[in-house]
Amino acid sequence: MRSLAGQVFLLQAVLVVLLVVAAVAALLVQANSSGAQEARNRSVAVAEAFASAPGLSGALAEEDPTEVLQPLAERARERSGVDFVVVTDTEGIRYTHPRPDRIGERFVGTTGPALEGEVVTEEIVGTLGPLVQAVVPVTDGDGTVVGLVSAGITIDKVSSGVQDQLPLLFGAAAAALLLSMAGTAVVGRRLLRQTHGLGPAEMARMYEHHDAVLHAVREGVLIIGAGGRLVLANDEARRLLDLPPDAEGRHVRELDLSPRTTRLLVSQRPAVDEVHMVGDRMLAVNQQPTDRHGGPPGSVATFRDSTELRVLSESAEAARRRLKLLYDAGNGIGTTLDMVRTAGELAEAAVPRFADFVTVDLADAVLRGDEPAGGTADMRRAAAAGIRDVPAFYPTGESITFLPSTPQARGYRLGHAVLESDLSTAPGWRRQDPERARDILAEGVHSLVAVPLKARGIVLGVATFWRSEKPEPFDDDDLSLAEELVARAAAAVDNARRYTREHTMAATLQRSLLPRALPGQEALEIAHRYLPAQSGVGGDWFDVIPLSGARVALVVGDVVGHGLHAAATMGRLRTAVHNFSALDLPPDEIIGHLDELVSRSDQDADEDGAPDDAVGMMGATCLYAIYDPVARNCVVARAGHPPLALAHPDGTVEFPDTPVGAPLGLGGPPYETAEIDLAEGSRLVLYTDGLIEDRGRDIDVGLTLLREALVHAGDASPEEACDVVTGALLIERPRDDVALLIARTRALAADSTAVWEVPSDPAAVSEVRAGVARRLAGWGLEELGFSTELILSELVTNAIRHATGPVGVRLLRLERSLICEVSDASSTSPHLRRAATTDEGGRGLFLVAQLSERWGTRYTGTGKIIWAEQPLPQT
């Protein structure tokens, strides 16, 4: 044992050393490969950004460019982390340098391609060591190169983090070696104590000898511990006493033995050939204590069958077991309309009472809910059960193509059971997979019965019963029992197949039309429920749509009627709502566009002469609300839909008075909106009429129940509130779909917003930039300072030049993004275009689009707002 422990420790040490060497090598390779590329990318980015800075070409034309550019270059170098930012004229004479004494000298590097408008990158060895420098041209408005900008950074600065990881790596390796030494020592001492100094070979031989003797004897053997619990039972004892599979570890009184036998075993007194009746068997029982010679406390009991009518008793018992098996199978198979579960119930019912292993294979078409086509034996393993795990069997879920010579293929093709009494001499079965067949035979499996699952004349699959523990092969009686057992399961599988086909169609349609997951947003904490009707596909839907300015739109709708056409109408309306929301329209305009869409669709259907239920859209109701976390209000419009419920933070619940228009498609006056001020933590509850209405319940009663449920929910989370509401209002078998949306409001803190009024003077832009820089510094977002100033400079300058009225600037700091908004009184929307090389302008919005993650325009009652959203730096 000591040598084994030493070998284990040596192996662990070698593995730790190999892992450390591999990790160090990987770090070095990574540093060498990525350092130069990262240095190249950073130097090019800094040089291009500085070269594109507004006013640079004008500064080069000044009498003393160094006076203007030197402080700007040094500030850019410090913020970007590069080693130098150098500006030169077209002759290569430096205007800036980190060391002022080198200003006026000639730049060292390749400048020819840059003078022709290209970007040059090169690796050199300078005074700071190996570095990468980039040279970028500076052009004036006509595209003429008027100067050069070079930025460089040393490779060591980029890849210096690798050395910082080596001490941690070596420390972890040392800790792993110490833990290995301690674990090996503890395990070694415990093994020596428990094995009494025996080596692995001696222990294995002793165990094999004792196990072989225990299972080879034709007498039942029970070993009982000091507390009266069964420690071990051999196979013969299990058969004679009819012990349950989990008998070991249970108390003798829990084994359902006869009272006399139980008293003998519990007392652990010595007994010699005492006769006990166990069922129809007459057993001779011997018992002796195990602690006479220093052994553990307990006793050993042996049982020998001495009944002359043993054969007759076994036959009667076999018949009884078969009847009991068929009875239990009739009750236990087909409890659900799930094919895989039904196949599993068949396998579980037959193991171990009829077979040691059972595999059930169903045709792929059957698993999809279809009828199998043709006689090919392409199947998939649906279920398997056995007395132990045998890796040689095909695993559950694997696709199997049985060769025509196999019993499974013959049974599937002919439609009746096939018996293979001796698998070792069955060439057709072995030909399917010779290596797998050898492994199965090595597990002791020697006989099988393959029975097709046949219902209404259609073969759905094959159930295979395997025998290994019982030495007798399957016989004709077993064949008939297997056929009857499988026939009961086949009817259940066919019912499940037909249900699966219908259910799959309905479920697929519903999944494709309803939102699969809610989009990410920071203004609301949302929970939702969609509960289909008892039968059929409905047209209820809901949506959560993020809008600009951290706002969120909540939508709930209900299409009249049920069926595929109602579901299709719902899908078309959902798509239309998303398209209209992309335009950032107010709720009343979106509802109006939906009404026009439904009306026009119905008119087109009437002109074509098609019935209403075949073409066009059906009537529908809809509620559309927009929540603004900055203004802390909600704007609502609805078309024939039940009002939203509002649960205040203090626990009170109300249904705000919001104007209701006609349902979609009926026409009428323009839709109106209502604006509701909300406290932080309020809950907006949107729902469809299936939640509050039913044949036996009026809508007023439903609204009262909804109010009571929300009051009872208190300050529960939206998920918990959904459970409370559905539990209080839903009936057991609803006749209509139910869509429920509960959203708890969040407010954007005052210190997360910043607002500026900008005079109509281009000179005021610099003041706005300075104020923005200070606010970003206060938020700890200095990294976004450069890009944010460029975005705001472009948007504010455009507003001053091309718009009318006051110009406003607003910054919104969210959890994951920064939003910049510029408002003006003009309704003219800017358009992004690609400027030609000869154009003097037209690149501003392109720059905004490149620097921001998203940008767009929304219209207000007094003009428009142009916004741009940037992701916050990862921390």
Side-chain angles (χ1 to χ4, degrees), residues 33 151 205 266 275 291 343 412 414 521 542 550 631 652 776 799 809:
S33 61
R205 282 196 299 271
V266 171
V275 178
D291 56 357
Y412 184 82
L414 301 176
Q521 47 81 33
F542 62 90
T652 59
L776 292 179
V809 174

Side-chain angles (χ1 to χ4, degrees), residues 218-290:
R218 300 308 300 168
E219 289 188 353
V221 179
L222 294 183
I223 300 179
I224 302 169
R229 293 191 176 274
L230 181 61
V231 177
L232 185 144
N234 70 347
D235 299 339
E236 186 67 8
R238 291 179 181 274
R239 185 185 69 82
L240 293 176
L241 300 177
D242 196 19
L243 297 179
D246 59 344
E248 294 177 349
R250 298 171 60 178
H251 198 277
V252 173
R253 294 191 182 92
E254 302 174 3
L255 301 180
D256 294 331
L257 302 176
S258 66
R260 183 166 176 254
T261 305
T262 300
R263 286 194 300 271
L264 173 63
L265 297 177
V266 171
S267 68
Q268 298 186 352
R269 63 176 174 82
V272 179
D273 288 337
E274 287 190 11
V275 178
H276 290 247
M277 292 299 299
V278 178
D280 295 332
R281 296 186 179 92
M282 184 180 298
L283 303 181
V285 183
N286 292 271
Q287 182 169 264
Q288 295 295 330
T290 57

Side-chain angles (χ1 to χ4, degrees), residues 108-141:
V108 179
T110 303
T111 60
L115 295 174
E116 297 178 1
E118 299 180 5
V119 176
V120 180
T121 60
E122 57 184 344
E123 295 185 20
I124 65 172
V125 178
T127 58
L128 301 177
L131 57 84
V132 175
Q133 67 180 13
V135 183
V136 176
V138 180
T139 59
D140 58 10

Side-chain angles (χ1 to χ4, degrees), residues 37 172 218 258 321 346 379 403 434 499 525 610 728 797 812 840:
Q37 184 60 39
R218 300 308 300 168
S258 66
R321 288 197 300 267
L346 169 60
M379 304 184 203
L403 297 179
Y499 171 78
E525 180 186 354
T797 302
L812 302 178
E840 296 184 1

Side-chain angles (χ1 to χ4, degrees), residues 134 245 277 339 421 506 510 802 824 836 839 845 873:
M277 292 299 299
M339 285 181 289
S421 300
Q510 288 184 349
H802 306 294
D824 58 58
D839 291 344
L845 284 180

Side-chain angles (χ1 to χ4, degrees), residues 85-313:
V85 176
V86 175
V87 182
T88 72
D89 61 8
T90 56
E91 299 297 328
I93 302 304
R94 298 189 184 104
Y95 288 144
T96 68
H97 195 276
R99 295 175 60 178
D101 59 338
R102 297 191 178 183
I103 295 176
E105 297 180 1
R106 182 173 296 277
F107 172 72
V108 179
T110 303
T111 60
L115 295 174
E116 297 178 1
E118 299 180 5
V119 176
V120 180
T121 60
E122 57 184 344
E123 295 185 20
I124 65 172
V125 178
T127 58
L128 301 177
L131 57 84
V132 175
Q133 67 180 13
V135 183
V136 176
V138 180
T139 59
D140 58 10
D142 298 331
T144 302
V145 177
V146 297
L148 303 175
V149 175
S150 175
I153 185 171
T154 59
I155 298 177
D156 289 342
K157 178 177 293 187
V158 177
S159 58
S160 60
V162 175
Q163 289 77 9
D164 298 337
Q165 302 179 29
L166 293 180
L168 177 62
L169 182 62
F170 289 127
L177 284 174
L178 291 176
L179 287 176
S180 299
M181 293 175 62
T184 303
V186 172
V187 171
R189 285 197 299 270
R190 182 168 297 180
L191 286 175
L192 287 174
R193 184 171 61 254
Q194 294 181 351
T195 60
H196 303 287
L198 294 178
E202 292 83 357
M203 290 292 298
R205 282 196 299 271
M206 183 177 68
Y207 173 80
E208 292 171 357
H209 175 73
H210 288 178
D211 187 66
V213 171
L214 183 64
H215 291 284
V217 297
R218 300 308 300 168
E219 289 188 353
V221 179
L222 294 183
I223 300 179
I224 302 169
R229 293 191 176 274
L230 181 61
V231 177
L232 185 144
N234 70 347
D235 299 339
E236 186 67 8
R238 291 179 181 274
R239 185 185 69 82
L240 293 176
L241 300 177
D242 196 19
L243 297 179
D246 59 344
E248 294 177 349
R250 298 171 60 178
H251 198 277
V252 173
R253 294 191 182 92
E254 302 174 3
L255 301 180
D256 294 331
L257 302 176
S258 66
R260 183 166 176 254
T261 305
T262 300
R263 286 194 300 271
L264 173 63
L265 297 177
V266 171
S267 68
Q268 298 186 352
R269 63 176 174 82
V272 179
D273 288 337
E274 287 190 11
V275 178
H276 290 247
M277 292 299 299
V278 178
D280 295 332
R281 296 186 179 92
M282 184 180 298
L283 303 181
V285 183
N286 292 271
Q287 182 169 264
Q288 295 295 330
T290 57
D291 56 357
R292 287 185 174 180
H293 304 288
S299 63
V300 175
T302 62
F303 300 81
R304 186 175 67 256
D305 190 355
S306 59
T307 307
E308 295 181 357
L309 300 178
R310 180 175 180 179
V311 175
L312 180 60
S313 175

Side-chain angles (χ1 to χ4, degrees), residues 718-737:
E719 283 289 343
E720 296 170 342
C722 281
D723 292 335
V724 172
V725 170
T726 55
L729 276 80
L730 287 185
I731 61 176
E732 183 177 355
R733 301 174 69 83
R735 298 177 179 271
D736 194 8
D737 292 6

